[in-house]
């Protein structure tokens, strides 16, 4: 198996290493490397496909449907970790993301864009599935909310650098899509390759199940993942697209908006992590879903009442802040999970999260052409559904007490 010749250490042994070689520092480097490619791809995407390929809502819907297929197939991670260690698979996936991002602008036709999007998406989604698993295995439960908050801040800092450079240099140096995509993808590849050979292989005390795991007692986690994936997909596909299509944002303007988002995330993500530790997952998720419901209704109001660009930009930033609370769902699962279930359930959860994402973009792309407001009203309905489900989370979730209906009892495999 790949990585067998690299030194292996269990998590207790790894504590004796310098901080820059410990598992948590590897997580920080990975959290930093991924957004350099992905954030750049996202920042340029809407302008690139509209200006270069002449996309409408229909084509952008198809693109995002293709982009979500690997997320739906993330369950394949369970098969791959039989042959490739999770740590190695995550870094190889990052390399694939970087390579595909770097080549994006060299294939400006509809078919070429879809093919590169598919490849980068395989890298992105398999990395995310493995990364979530490694975070929950390597980070102590007591420190998880705070550490996940800092990891989110690290990713936001990387995005901040990427977006800041785009804002400062795009018009000043008359940059091309080819140049920017190639540099961003290349940096992600270099960081991932460095991590692949610099860090030892870290062994967790709980060997992971290498088969699909579906347990009845995780049903609420599955349900929240499903609705979250559907709702988030609407925002990812159509919110920034609206800023370009309706308000005519240029690359440096849409990037500036993203820049504000990530400055806010850098500041608030660690605070949100601390708040989750104090108030618990249920209260934080309830707060998130109430906020998202109001934000999506306001998005619809932009079309129904003709509200302007300042409100639209403000809603975009606020929406991102509410989404940054979503790692409360990770810590909820960490508290209720059998430690051996983390890797397979992370893969299953990604698949569940992307069930709706496979067909929603193309369906809503056709709806968008006739009624953009109705797309955001549908998202508000999904946020309300998440809100109702979040009330079922106990104040102190643990195995045997996964929902308010489950009385605390010994857990059997189910």
């Amino acid at each position: 198996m790949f990585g067998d010749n690299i030194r292996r250490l269990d998590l207790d042994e790894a504590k004796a290493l310098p901080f820059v070689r410990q598992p948590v520092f590897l997580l920080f480097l990975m959290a930093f490397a991924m957004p350099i490619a992905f954030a750049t791809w996202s920042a340029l995407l809407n302008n690139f496909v509209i200006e270069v390929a002449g996309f409408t809502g229909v084509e952008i819907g198809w693109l995002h449907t293709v982009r979500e297929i690997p997320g739906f197939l993330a369950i394949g991670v369970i098969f791959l970790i039989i042959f490739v260690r999770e740590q190695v698979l995550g870094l190889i996936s990052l390399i694939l993301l970087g390579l595909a991002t770097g080549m994006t602008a060299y294939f400006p036709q509809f078919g070429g864009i879809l093919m590169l999007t598919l490849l980068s998406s395989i890298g992105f989604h398999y990395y995310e599935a493995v990364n979530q698993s490694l975070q929950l295995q390597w980070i102590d439960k007591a420190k998880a909310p705070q550490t996940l908050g800092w990891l989110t801040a690290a990713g936001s800092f990387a995005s901040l650098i990427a977006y800041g450079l785009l804002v400062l240099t795009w018009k000043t140096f008359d940059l091309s899509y080819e140049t920017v995509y190639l540099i961003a993808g290349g940096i992600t590849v270099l960081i991932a390759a460095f991590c692949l050979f610099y860090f030892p292989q870290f062994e967790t005390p709980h060997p992971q199940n290498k088969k699909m795991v579906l347990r009845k007692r995780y049903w609420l986690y599955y349900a929240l993942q499903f609705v979250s994936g559907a709702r988030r997909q609407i925002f990812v596909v159509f919110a920034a697209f609206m800023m370009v299509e309706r308000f005519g944002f240029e690359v440096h303007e849409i990037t500036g908006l993203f820049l504000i988002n990530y400055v806010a995330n850098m500041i608030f993500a660690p605070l949100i992590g601390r708040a989750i530790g104090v108030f618990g997952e249920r209260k934080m998720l309830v707060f998130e879903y109430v906020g998202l419901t109001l934000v999506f209704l306001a998005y619809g109001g932009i079309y129904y009442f003709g509200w302007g660009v300042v409100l639209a930009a403000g809603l975009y930033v606020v929406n991102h802040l509410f989404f940054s609370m979503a790692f409360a769902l990770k810590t909820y699962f960490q508290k209720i999970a059998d430690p051996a279930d983390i890797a397979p359930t992370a893969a299953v959860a990604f698949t569940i999260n992307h069930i709706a994402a496979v067909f929603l973009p193309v369906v809503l792309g056709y709806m968008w052409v006739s009624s953009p407001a109705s797309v955001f009203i549908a998202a508000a309905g999904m946020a309300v559904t998440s809100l109702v489900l979040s009330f079922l989370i106990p104040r102190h979730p643990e195995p045997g007490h996964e929902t308010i209906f489950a009385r605390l009892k010994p857990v059997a495999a189910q």
Side-chain angles (χ1 to χ4, degrees):
M1 296 182 191
F2 193 96
D4 280 352
N5 294 324
I6 299 176
R7 185 184 177 195
R8 297 184 181 184
L9 296 175
D10 63 36
L11 296 183
D12 287 332
E13 291 174 321
K15 292 177 182 177
L17 294 174
F19 178 72
V20 294
R21 299 206 73 191
Q22 290 185 16
V24 69
F25 190 71
L26 172 56
L27 292 176
F28 272 100
L29 283 180
M30 292 165 69
F32 184 85
M34 186 278 289
I36 294 175
F38 183 70
T40 302
W41 180 86
S42 301
L44 297 182
L45 176 67
N46 290 293
N47 292 86
F48 176 65
V49 298
I50 289 173
E51 294 172 12
V52 177
F55 275 27
T56 67
V58 172
E59 287 84 9
I60 199 72
W62 277 107
L63 183 147
H64 283 282
T65 287
V66 168
R67 188 177 75 86
E68 296 303 340
I69 290 173
F72 179 69
L73 299 177
I75 199 168
V77 167
I78 300 171
F79 173 77
L80 291 175
I81 62 174
I82 297 174
F83 306 100
V84 182
R85 299 171 60 82
E86 280 187 272
Q87 182 177 332
V88 174
L89 178 59
L91 292 169
I92 290 175
S93 298
L94 265 185
I95 290 172
L96 177 59
L97 169 63
L99 289 174
T101 299
M103 298 301 295
T104 294
Y106 291 97
F107 297 87
Q109 306 81 19
F110 180 67
I113 292 172
L114 259 60
M115 179 57 66
L116 268 299
T117 296
L118 179 65
L119 292 174
S120 66
S121 182
I122 291 171
F124 172 79
H125 284 101
Y126 276 49
Y127 160 77
E128 282 292 326
V130 170
N131 184 51
Q132 177 172 303
S133 170
L134 293 178
Q135 287 175 351
L136 298 184
Q137 291 178 67
W138 289 354
I139 300 172
D140 182 76
K141 287 183 183 181
K143 299 178 180 178
Q146 295 89 337
T147 305
L148 290 174
W150 282 109
L151 288 171
T152 300
S156 296
F157 182 61
S159 299
L160 179 66
I161 293 173
Y163 292 154
L165 289 174
L166 274 176
V167 170
L168 293 173
T169 62
W170 179 260
K171 280 201 165 184
T172 304
F173 298 102
D174 193 25
L175 296 177
S176 67
Y177 291 109
E178 290 86 351
T179 299
V180 175
Y181 275 134
L182 189 61
I183 291 173
I187 292 173
T188 295
V189 169
L190 289 175
I191 294 175
F194 168 77
C195 292
L196 193 59
F197 295 103
Y198 176 70
F199 287 91
Q201 295 294 312
F202 299 114
E203 302 278 4
T204 59
H206 304 284
Q208 296 297 291
N209 290 318
K210 294 181 172 62
K211 60 182 180 180
M212 188 172 74
V213 172
L214 281 171
R215 303 206 189 280
K216 288 187 292 184
R217 65 189 188 88
Y218 299 158
W219 72 267
L220 180 57
Y221 175 68
Y222 298 147
L224 285 165
Q225 284 284 2
F226 174 79
V227 184
S228 172
R231 183 193 64 248
R232 188 181 183 92
Q233 193 61 28
I234 294 176
F235 174 76
V236 169
V237 175
F238 295 107
F241 189 76
M242 175 193 69
M243 302 303 293
V244 176
E245 183 186 64
R246 183 174 178 86
F247 297 110
F249 271 42
E250 297 182 21
V251 165
H252 65 288
E253 292 171 323
I254 197 73
T255 304
L257 185 59
F258 290 174
L259 195 64
I260 295 170
N261 281 337
Y262 285 99
V263 170
N265 272 347
M266 280 182 58
I267 296 170
F268 288 104
L271 299 177
I272 291 168
R274 186 178 301 173
I276 293 171
V278 172
F279 298 108
E281 287 78 9
R282 180 175 62 188
K283 288 183 178 179
M284 293 303 294
L285 289 173
V286 166
F287 182 69
E288 176 193 354
Y289 299 142
V290 169
L292 287 175
T293 300
L294 296 175
V295 167
F296 282 123
L297 289 174
Y299 269 130
I302 290 173
Y303 288 90
Y304 285 127
F305 306 113
W307 295 336
V309 63
V310 174
L311 176 65
L315 289 173
Y316 194 85
V317 174
V318 172
N319 206 336
H320 258 280
L321 284 177
F322 281 120
F323 277 142
S324 70
M325 298 178 185
F327 60 81
L329 198 53
K330 289 184 184 180
T331 59
Y332 163 64
F333 175 67
Q334 187 187 38
K335 289 179 178 179
I336 66 171
D338 180 331
D341 288 348
I342 288 175
T345 304
V348 169
F350 252 77
T351 293
I352 292 171
N353 186 274
H354 288 78
I355 291 173
V358 170
F359 66 84
L360 264 183
V362 67
V363 172
L364 295 178
Y366 287 102
M367 185 188 298
W368 181 268
V369 174
S370 59
S371 177
S374 62
V375 173
F376 291 120
I377 299 304
M382 294 172 193
V384 170
T385 303
S386 294
L387 175 62
V388 172
L389 290 172
S390 66
F391 282 110
L392 305 181
I393 297 175
R395 174 62 182 90
H396 299 287
E398 58 183 291
H401 192 46
E402 299 84 5
T403 74
I404 60 173
F405 303 122
R407 295 182 177 179
L408 191 59
K409 56 180 183 279
V411 176
Q414 51 179 317

